[in-house]
Amino acid sequence: MNNLWLKKVLPHVLAILVFLVVAVLFCKPVLDGKTLNQHDTGIEGWRGSAQNAFDVKEKTGTMPLWSTTVFSGMPNYQIAMEGKSALPVDLNKVFGLGLPKPMNFFFIACVCFYILCVVLRFNPVTGILGGLAFAYSTYNPLIVSAGHETKMMTIAYMPFLLAGLLLIFNKRYWIGLAVATLGATLVLMANHPQIAYYFFMIAGAVTIGYVVVWIRNKDFKHLAISFGLSAVAALVGLGCYSLAFLTTKEYKEYTMRGGKSVEIKGNEVKAVNTKGLDPDYAMSYSMSMIEPIIMFMPKAVGGSSGTTLKEDSKVIEKLAAAGVPEMQAAQFASQFPAYWGGMVSPEYSGGPAYIGAVIFILAIIGFVIVKNQLKWPLLIISVLAIMMSWGKYFFGFNEILLNSLPLYNSFRAPSMALVICQLTLPLMAVITVYSLFFEKNSGDFLKENFKKILYTLGGITAVLALLYIGQGYSSAIDEQIIQMQIDPNGGDTLNRAIIAGMKADRQSLFGAQVMRAVLFMALVLGAVYAVLKNMIRPAVAVAVLAAISIIDLWVVDKQYFSDDHYVAKDEIANQIEAPTAIDQEIFKDKDPHFRVFDVAGMDKNRVSYFHRSALGYSAVKLRVYQDIIERYFAGAPNEQILNALDVRYIITRDESGQERLVPNPNAYGAAWFVKAVKPVATEVEELQAIGSTNLKDTAIVPQSALKSGSNLTADSTSSVALIKYTNDEIEYNASSATGGFVVLSEVYYPAGWNAYIDGKQTDIVKTNYFMRGLVVPQGKHTIKLVFEPETVKRGMSISYLSSWLLIILVLGGFFMQWWVDKKKAAHGV
């Protein structure tokens, strides 16, 4: 009995050890006390925006709900949030065996895909092949290196959730419910909605495939049970995620991703009514039509945007032929990117979404010869993902998706859709391997289909040859090069020489990638042929393919995830925690309210780390603030707007790039009474009026926001003073003999901010398009603003209750499956 149990468990333990060893070796600098220098989570990324929240928690013991340091204020629960859970452990640490970052990301991805293979009843060596290929697909190291950890964690848990659904669909109801519930929670709690959305598209395709079979077999009872259990798993997972889900859903309606009511082009503003992101913005980071082939050939379109032309570039030859000295020609060439895909300036490609040549070849073979229930759903959703990745280069189709798919218009970066293929193609590859080598009668299946395999590989080769011969090797960047002033004598001869040289480079590189692909096809064919002729055992062949696959991925990955990406932890700390001389100067100002405007601070959160910034970086800025940025900060910032934001310090740079601090003594302060209120009828009028109005004296408000009979003209002795300023609570003392209208230098956000005058709630008036205002009665009063969003309270309660349901369903599901299996064994079933 014990030997039988050991025989069953030992292969899985060995698989886990393989995943552990590979993860440790892949991230070896961590063992030397180093950490990744992640640009998107460093001081200019997430860390810069979140530091204020950590500082507040250290002082008060509680994470604030509102941030005062990014874009003059936004909900902090979109940056850093803590919830309440009944779970006794951190599930990420459990799945990751407590490994440090980034080892844990790759290890978890391996294990989750391996679990999917176990559920499909594949043998361990097949699971190892799939697990390594899935985890080390090049897109994963790319996003980990950039600091997109929530994206990576969501990707890592996708196979685990799919495993739970497949258990349910294959009538392993109890354990399926447990795994699916846990999987749904892990995927959603990883908190990357776009990746989760792509997974649910995969799950939807797979579900439809099963439903067709159930209906054909008239198995309506199983259909109902499967839908019911899947719905329970989804609801519990959504319940655990409810704090983030409810707050994000509410916040989205007030952001760039919720649509817009005005459109800004330079100084012109017009009324519109759109939902979701603008199509142009949503379609940014689209792949050219040829580009998805990088899943098979990593440098087919040049690698990353940061890779420049090589020293042997044909550009040098073409320029030399046009009369440019060779040394000068080489300098020219070194300035141009080798990348020629669809994501050219101002967009950027960090590297290829390479899934491995071995995996891609096996998947294509599988789509041709394998008969499996998952085949057609995986093929259809993979093709759809490629079409989605084309974005603006296949606009008609993708515009339909933007307008018809629920929530889809809230996302951007169509290239990210290849995450779908990152799961579907490795899954199809392991299905192919198992069908060819390990399934019952696999020997006969291999003999029957060997010619089809040959034809498939021949077809792939023919397609690649046609692509090599038939395409023009043009890129959108060519137009930019034509516009450059290169020849001091005028004309575009040198421009065209550069483009001709770049096209020659592109063709040469593409040809080399085709030869590389043919080599890998030969290796796969050799392994298949060796098994067919009984030269090696199937397990050995798959082990060899797994080794080739991980070596191939490793070599490509390390071009974008090398040891150079690691730095000493002390060095990171010094970079982040060391204020500059300008920071030290600003620290001297002890006023709790003023803001800092860094002219070069858009898309950077460095100022936010130390000060209250009027700019910063967030992928989901408030819509009204984005409108201000587009209308009044696009060129030289509007002084009235800066003053109204209480910007007391402006950081500029001289010609040498040296930072310079410019004090702004005209900042209006935290709040002020105005002499007049100007009602306007439309948001267009609001936005335009604030640019030509003395906002110290006059407030621009919507006509509909004011109640008749209110006194809005304050006397000359009226005053308002800030007496308390924290993230979630602000207090002022106001005094006016006649009453009047007070403008607060705070960003307008109606979903959670409440105002109280002497303890009695009063309306907050949208003022100056993006600020808050209050009608204050005569006399002396205490004004209090409190950020108390109901969605946070509701989400906290639901998530806590759901965490208990998660524990019950997971433990209960595993117990009940054990009980059912025990009874079946007792009856000899």
Side-chain angles (χ1 to χ4, degrees):
M1 181 68 179
N2 288 336
N3 289 336
L4 180 61
W5 181 86
L6 184 62
K7 188 177 180 180
K8 286 183 177 180
V9 172
L10 187 59
H12 302 310
V13 173
L14 292 175
I16 299 300
L17 288 175
V18 169
F19 298 147
L20 181 61
V21 169
V22 174
V24 170
L25 292 176
F26 192 72
C27 307
K28 188 175 178 296
V30 174
L31 301 179
D32 299 325
K34 294 184 177 181
T35 186
L36 276 176
N37 188 11
Q38 299 168 310
H39 57 80
D40 279 3
T41 55
I43 189 168
E44 294 189 348
W46 173 80
R47 179 70 183 272
S49 63
Q51 186 59 38
N52 171 252
F54 296 140
D55 291 341
V56 171
K57 183 177 180 181
E58 186 176 351
K59 292 177 182 177
T60 66
T62 304
M63 192 77 80
L65 300 178
W66 186 263
S67 170
T68 61
T69 61
V70 184
F71 293 115
S72 301
M74 63 177 287
N76 186 68
Y77 47 68
Q78 292 299 310
I79 302 170
M81 177 174 19
E82 58 182 2
K84 183 181 179 183
S85 174
L87 293 172
V89 293
D90 183 337
L91 293 176
N92 292 328
K93 289 185 178 180
V94 172
F95 272 80
L97 297 184
L99 290 171
K101 298 178 183 180
M103 290 178 187
N104 62 329
F105 300 134
F106 301 105
F107 178 77
I108 290 172
C110 284
V111 170
C112 288
F113 196 94
Y114 184 82
I115 290 171
L116 174 59
C117 290
V118 170
V119 167
L120 291 170
R121 300 184 185 279
F122 297 159
N123 58 348
V125 69
T126 303
I128 291 172
L129 166 66
L132 292 173
F134 173 73
Y136 293 93
S137 292
T138 304
Y139 187 68
N140 291 341
L142 282 171
I143 59 178
V144 170
S145 178
H148 300 169
E149 295 181 358
T150 60
K151 186 186 295 186
M152 179 64 214
M153 290 304 293
T154 309
I155 290 172
Y157 286 126
M158 290 195 304
F160 187 77
L161 175 51
L162 183 58
L165 294 175
L166 291 178
L167 283 167
I168 292 174
F169 294 169
N170 288 290
K171 299 186 178 182
R172 299 272 289 173
Y173 294 132
W174 286 112
I175 192 171
L177 176 62
V179 173
T181 303
L182 181 57
T185 301
L186 290 168
V187 166
L188 292 171
M189 289 295 288
N191 200 24
H192 198 287
Q194 187 167 354
I195 299 298
Y197 192 94
Y198 290 144
F199 170 78
F200 289 117
M201 291 181 68
I202 299 171
V206 170
T207 301
I208 291 171
Y210 273 88
V211 167
V212 169
V213 174
W214 295 335
I215 292 176
R216 187 182 299 156
N217 296 335
K218 297 182 180 181
D219 196 353
F220 299 111
K221 178 181 178 182
H222 176 50
L223 188 154
I225 294 173
S226 297
F227 269 56
L229 294 179
S230 299
V232 170
L235 288 173
V236 173
L238 190 60
C240 292
Y241 179 59
S242 60
L243 176 58
F245 173 75
L246 292 176
T247 53
T248 300
K249 181 175 181 295
E250 177 181 69
Y251 178 66
K252 168 184 166 291
E253 298 305 314
Y254 299 96
T255 71
M256 302 161 56
R257 297 176 186 245
K260 63 182 182 182
S261 56
V262 300
E263 184 172 82
I264 302 164
K265 291 185 177 179
N267 293 330
E268 295 182 7
V269 181
K270 67 177 182 179
V272 294
N273 184 18
T274 66
K275 299 295 182 185
L277 291 171
D278 295 340
D280 287 346
Y281 187 72
M283 293 295 171
S284 58
Y285 297 93
S286 297
M287 286 186 159
S288 63
M289 300 294 277
I290 191 68
E291 197 164 358
I293 206 168
I294 59 176
M295 293 187 292
F296 182 27
M297 304 189 313
K299 290 191 175 181
V301 293
S304 73
S305 299
T307 304
T308 56
L309 299 179
K310 304 298 183 184
E311 293 179 356
D312 60 349
S313 168
K314 297 293 183 182
V315 171
I316 300 173
E317 179 182 318
K318 299 290 185 181
L319 286 174
V324 178
E326 187 172 338
M327 184 173 294
Q328 187 178 352
Q331 290 176 343
F332 267 127
S334 65
Q335 298 173 20
F336 295 105
Y339 173 78
W340 58 283
M343 294 174 280
V344 296
S345 181
E347 297 162 4
Y348 179 90
S349 171
Y354 180 57
I355 65 167
V358 169
I359 295 299
F360 188 90
I361 294 163
L362 289 170
I364 299 300
I365 290 172
F367 286 134
V368 174
I369 68 171
V370 170
K371 295 179 181 179
N372 184 282
Q373 192 164 346
L374 291 172
K375 168 183 171 178
W376 289 110
L378 295 180
L379 176 60
I380 290 169
I381 197 64
S382 298
V383 172
L384 177 60
I386 291 171
M387 295 167 69
M388 290 164 64
S389 75
W390 289 332
K392 63 186 177 185
Y393 301 103
F394 197 45
F395 186 73
F397 172 78
N398 283 296
E399 185 181 29
I400 294 172
L401 297 187
L402 283 175
N403 295 330
S404 57
L405 283 183
L407 302 177
Y408 188 65
N409 62 6
S410 298
F411 305 128
R412 68 167 186 153
S415 58
M416 206 186 299
L418 289 191
V419 164
I420 292 173
C421 298
Q422 190 176 318
L423 175 58
T424 59
L425 295 186
L427 179 53
M428 192 65 227
V430 293
I431 291 172
T432 304
V433 165
Y434 193 76
S435 299
L436 287 174
F437 299 144
F438 302 110
E439 205 164 26
K440 187 178 179 181
N441 299 322
S442 61
D444 294 337
F445 179 77
L446 179 54
K447 290 178 183 178
E448 292 170 6
N449 288 279
F450 186 72
K451 284 187 178 181
K452 287 184 179 180
I453 294 173
L454 286 174
Y455 296 151
T456 301
L457 297 182
I460 295 172
T461 304
V463 170
L464 294 179
L466 289 172
L467 288 174
Y468 173 73
I469 296 169
Q471 64 179 310
Y473 297 97
S474 296
S475 171
I477 201 170
D478 297 347
E479 289 299 320
Q480 298 177 29
I481 295 173
I482 285 289
Q483 302 301 321
M484 296 173 65
Q485 294 183 349
I486 296 174
D487 191 338
N489 298 321
D492 61 0
T493 302
L494 297 184
N495 304 63
R496 296 191 180 281
I498 290 170
I499 293 172
M502 292 177 75
K503 286 184 177 181
D505 287 341
R506 295 164 186 169
Q507 185 172 23
S508 176
L509 182 58
F510 194 90
Q513 290 290 292
V514 170
M515 295 305 297
R516 179 183 188 275
V518 171
L519 173 62
F520 276 102
M521 283 188 277
L523 291 172
V524 172
L525 182 62
V528 172
Y529 183 79
V531 173
L532 178 66
K533 295 300 182 180
N534 296 317
M535 298 166 63
I536 58 174
R537 297 178 62 182
V540 174
V542 177
V544 169
L545 289 176
I548 293 171
S549 178
I550 188 59
I551 292 170
D552 171 36
L553 284 168
W554 189 296
V555 170
V556 176
D557 290 352
K558 284 300 180 180
Q559 296 174 36
Y560 309 96
F561 190 81
S562 68
D563 291 357
D564 293 338
H565 286 78
Y566 293 86
V567 295
K569 291 182 179 179
D570 291 344
E571 184 178 336
I572 287 285
N574 291 335
Q575 287 178 3
I576 292 176
E577 297 170 3
T580 65
I582 283 180
D583 294 322
Q584 297 288 5
E585 186 64 27
I586 298 173
F587 288 155
K588 295 177 183 178
D589 193 329
K590 302 303 181 183
D591 190 299
H593 187 271
F594 68 88
R595 298 188 177 97
V596 178
F597 186 95
D598 185 349
V599 174
M602 184 58 70
D603 295 336
K604 297 178 181 178
N605 282 324
R606 192 201 174 283
V607 171
S608 300
Y609 186 90
F610 296 105
H611 316 289
R612 287 170 292 281
S613 176
L615 294 177
Y617 171 75
S618 172
V620 281
K621 293 189 285 289
L622 284 168
R623 180 74 254 179
V624 291
Y625 209 86
Q626 175 65 21
D627 292 340
I628 294 296
I629 290 170
E630 291 180 17
R631 178 64 182 86
Y632 294 110
F633 293 162
N638 182 284
E639 292 184 14
Q640 284 286 329
I641 306 299
L642 294 182
N643 292 339
L645 280 172
D646 198 21
V647 171
R648 197 174 299 174
Y649 300 98
I650 302 171
I651 300 175
T652 63
R653 285 157 185 79
D654 58 26
E655 294 179 356
S656 65
Q658 187 68 30
E659 288 187 349
R660 193 163 62 92
L661 186 64
V662 181
N664 177 28
N666 300 318
Y668 296 160
W672 62 94
F673 275 97
V674 292
K675 297 176 181 177
V677 173
K678 181 182 178 181
V680 294
T682 67
E683 289 190 314
V684 171
E685 292 179 71
E686 283 183 69
L687 186 56
Q688 290 289 62
I690 61 174
S692 57
T693 301
N694 182 346
L695 300 179
K696 182 69 171 179
D697 293 335
T698 304
I700 310 298
V701 299
Q703 287 179 348
S704 59
L706 295 180
K707 297 178 181 178
S708 59
S710 299
N711 180 23
L712 303 178
T713 305
D715 67 286
S716 59
T717 63
S718 298
S719 64
V720 56
L722 181 71
I723 60 173
K724 179 181 179 182
Y725 192 72
T726 61
N727 293 64
D728 300 336
E729 197 170 297
I730 312 171
E731 286 189 28
Y732 311 84
N733 281 337
S735 177
S736 176
T738 60
F741 191 84
V742 170
V743 178
L744 309 176
S745 184
E746 302 297 334
V747 174
Y748 180 76
Y749 182 66
W753 275 107
N754 294 319
Y756 303 88
I757 297 179
D758 299 331
K760 183 178 180 181
Q761 189 167 353
T762 189
D763 293 333
I764 297 176
V765 180
K766 182 173 179 279
T767 305
N768 296 338
Y769 191 78
F770 73 112
M771 304 177 76
R772 306 176 206 167
L774 297 173
V775 177
V776 178
Q778 66 181 40
K780 294 182 178 181
H781 304 282
T782 297
I783 301 171
K784 189 174 185 179
L785 271 73
V786 184
F787 190 52
E788 43 192 1
E790 287 297 323
T791 49
V792 172
K793 300 175 185 176
R794 192 182 314 123
M796 194 84 72
S797 299
I798 294 173
S799 62
Y800 182 68
L801 175 61
S802 298
S803 66
W804 278 109
L805 292 175
L806 172 67
I807 293 172
I808 293 170
L809 289 177
V810 171
L811 295 181
F814 278 104
F815 174 79
M816 289 301 299
Q817 190 66 58
W818 172 81
W819 181 261
V820 169
D821 291 344
K822 183 180 179 181
K823 289 178 65 177
K824 286 182 179 180
H827 291 85
V829 178

